[in-house]
Amino acid sequence: MNRETMNTTQTAEPAGAQKGMSDLFEHALRDMYYAEKKIYRTLPRMIRAAGDATLKRALTDHRDETMEHVETLETIFGQIGKKPKAVKCDAIDGILEEGDGLLEDFGGTEVADAAIIFSCQAVEHYEITRYGSMRVFALALGLPEAAGLIDGVLAQEKAADDLLSQVSESQMKMAA
């Protein structure tokens, strides 16, 4: 088999198997549906472990927002005529697993809250990147309502990240 034949053979796909932007958008929805549900189930451990009252309140409020994000994603699934379905997200599983490890290593120490913020900001940054891309995908697909809903979620994720930064800075000033 010559090189030209090998390349053709390796990249050939059956008719109709090509994926497009709508497939990528649906995958992103399923990915974030999984992620948001998993984050929702994980946040109570962080809330219980947090010592700072402001941090506890921020995490509790964000847990409520996270359930709203799940509902928003379900709405978007409906807008595109799809049933809400999650697809396993190895990235968020890894980020949350790392957070669990940090809680084991630093929970109950003087830096426990800093470790929680460190973990939670990793989650927020993941969500911000995903929702930012999803907003662009929705606009490219001519789905302005979905883009608007995603923009609302994105704003909440950015606000949560900003609040975590403020709590962290406040803690560092108090420790100094």
Side-chain angles (χ1 to χ4, degrees):
M1 188 180 287
N2 66 32
R3 178 172 249 167
E4 189 174 305
T5 307
M6 262 182 23
N7 286 342
T8 304
T9 304
Q10 289 174 347
T11 60
E13 293 183 8
Q18 284 222 319
K19 301 239 178 193
M21 183 58 69
S22 62
D23 298 303
L24 180 57
F25 183 64
E26 185 178 344
H27 176 85
L29 281 171
R30 289 178 175 187
D31 179 88
M32 289 311 297
Y33 191 59
Y34 175 94
E36 292 287 12
K37 291 171 96 175
K38 186 98 181 223
I39 293 163
Y40 183 81
R41 291 190 307 270
T42 301
L43 274 168
R45 284 194 301 270
M46 298 289 182
I47 294 166
R48 283 190 303 275
D52 181 85
T54 304
L55 179 57
K56 274 187 184 290
R57 187 172 48 256
L59 295 175
T60 300
D61 291 347
H62 195 60
R63 185 168 190 253
D64 294 340
E65 287 178 348
T66 300
M67 183 46 65
E68 291 173 19
H69 300 167
V70 169
E71 293 166 359
T72 298
L73 292 169
E74 290 171 348
T75 298
I76 296 169
F77 274 112
Q79 288 176 348
I80 64 169
K82 301 288 181 174
K83 181 180 176 189
K85 183 179 175 186
V87 63
K88 188 174 187 314
C89 175
D90 292 331
I92 202 65
D93 283 344
I95 292 168
L96 294 174
E97 185 178 308
E98 180 185 47
D100 287 342
L102 286 169
L103 270 183
E104 285 178 31
D105 291 346
F106 294 97
T109 70
E110 64 182 32
V111 296
D113 286 349
I116 291 168
I117 292 168
F118 182 68
S119 298
C120 289
Q121 283 192 298
V123 171
E124 295 308 321
H125 288 219
Y126 176 78
E127 291 176 303
I128 289 166
T129 62
R130 292 301 184 162
Y131 283 118
S133 293
M134 289 171 63
R135 183 183 167 281
V136 172
F137 298 164
L139 290 171
L141 291 167
L143 301 168
E145 288 180 40
L149 290 171
I150 292 167
D151 212 26
V153 172
L154 186 56
Q156 287 180 322
E157 300 297 5
K158 288 177 180 179
D161 181 54
D162 287 344
L163 182 56
L164 288 168
S165 290
Q166 290 170 14
V167 172
S168 179
E169 289 171 9
S170 173
Q171 286 182 349
M172 294 305 114
K173 286 178 185 174
M174 288 174 40

